Each structure stands twice: as structure tokens, then as C-alpha cells.
Amino acid sequence: STPAQTAAAFDFSTVTSLKDDDVIDEALDIAMVDPGQVTISKLEDVNLNADFKLLAIAAKNMIDNALKYSPNKHVNITITRESIKFINEGERLSKELRHYVEPFTKGESAKKSFGLGLYIVENIIKAHKLTLSYEYKNGLNVFSFENLQNIAA
């Protein structure tokens, strides 16, 4: 089955109440990144009803992309009640976000990539009734998991 079919047939029996920190900690563990490459700004405590593993994979993919496409190889993660933002320095996306969430689509400078990272993220986020958004501001790429209040515990 494809990731889209997996997300569409999302089994909510795997949903548990968890803390946002746990998701980010798990994402960092599976990404195997140097802790110095990540700064976490937690503005509020957030408890979520979500599939822990899937949300951690989505966060891991965002961290991987931020580090891969940033000249300083650093990502800032900001957590509020409404969103988790992944912020990195770098070039603005050359196309709209919807282009990159299609399967087998990758950025121009992507080398060892199948172009599935944002496709997987988008499907996990949609399955959780969240929104993936993107904006470019002051030389920073800001990707967000929006509407966390939809899955607040």
C-alpha cells in the first residue's frame, strides 16, 4: 500500500495521549542528529492525542529536510498550542509547497533522495486533521504543523 492509502486507512486505535516533547525527542533519536544542530523553543506545554510513531516520523522528516537544505545545518523548532514550526536558514522554495508534497518530487539540490519525505509528512499530518504550511520570511524557511488544537488532549 502507498503512504496515501496508509494515511487514508489510518487506524486510530494507535492514538495515545502524549506530550509534544516526546514526539520531538523521538524524532531527534531516529534522525540521529547532533543535539547542537537543533534548538527547541517550547512556548507552551502541549498534550496531544496522536499516533506517536507516525507523528515522530513526520517531525523527523522535517528535521532531516531543514538540516539538508540549510547552509548552517541547524534547525529551530518552536512549539505552541497551535503549531510546531521547523525553521531553517536557506533559499526560498522555488515552487509552491503543493509541488513538493507530491510523491517523487525533490528540491533541486537534493542528492540522495527519493522525493518522498514531504509526501509522507503531508499524509501523516492530514490523517491527524492537521495542516502542513510553509512561508519564507527574512531568509528563513518556516514549515509548520498547524491546528494542533484539533488533537489537543
Side-chain angles (χ1 to χ4, degrees), residues 123-143:
N123 281 282
I124 291 170
I125 294 307
K126 277 184 177 175
H128 282 86
K129 308 278 190 272
L130 303 175
T131 306
L132 176 64
S133 70
Y134 169 76
E135 67 177 324
Y136 187 78
K137 193 164 36 174
N138 303 322
L140 298 173
N141 289 293
V142 181
F143 289 88

Side-chain angles (χ1 to χ4, degrees), residues 46-97:
V46 182
N47 290 316
L48 306 171
N49 287 315
D51 182 299
F52 175 70
K53 289 288 187 197
L54 285 178
L55 208 53
I57 288 167
K60 178 244 184 232
N61 284 357
M62 298 308 301
I63 292 164
D64 283 347
N65 280 353
L67 296 175
K68 186 188 312 184
Y69 294 106
S70 175
N72 67 356
K73 304 298 180 220
H74 192 270
V75 59
N76 292 299
I77 301 170
T78 303
I79 302 167
T80 67
R81 288 192 196 287
E82 293 81 32
S83 67
I84 301 174
K85 295 185 185 301
F86 302 87
I87 305 164
N88 68 292
E89 290 180 12
E91 297 294 318
R92 175 191 305 263
L93 291 181
S94 59
K95 296 179 174 74
E96 294 290 319
L97 178 60

Side-chain angles (χ1 to χ4, degrees), residues 2 9 11 15 18 24-25 33 41 47 49 51 61 63 73 75 98 106 111-112 123-124 127 129-130 137 144 149:
T2 69
D11 176 6
V15 168
L18 49 101
I24 299 302
D25 287 347
V33 298
S41 303
N47 290 316
N49 287 315
D51 182 299
N61 284 357
I63 292 164
K73 304 298 180 220
V75 59
R98 67 177 177 266
K106 50 192 174 188
K111 302 219 174 15
K112 299 175 201 155
N123 281 282
I124 291 170
K129 308 278 190 272
L130 303 175
K137 193 164 36 174
S144 304
Q149 65 276 11

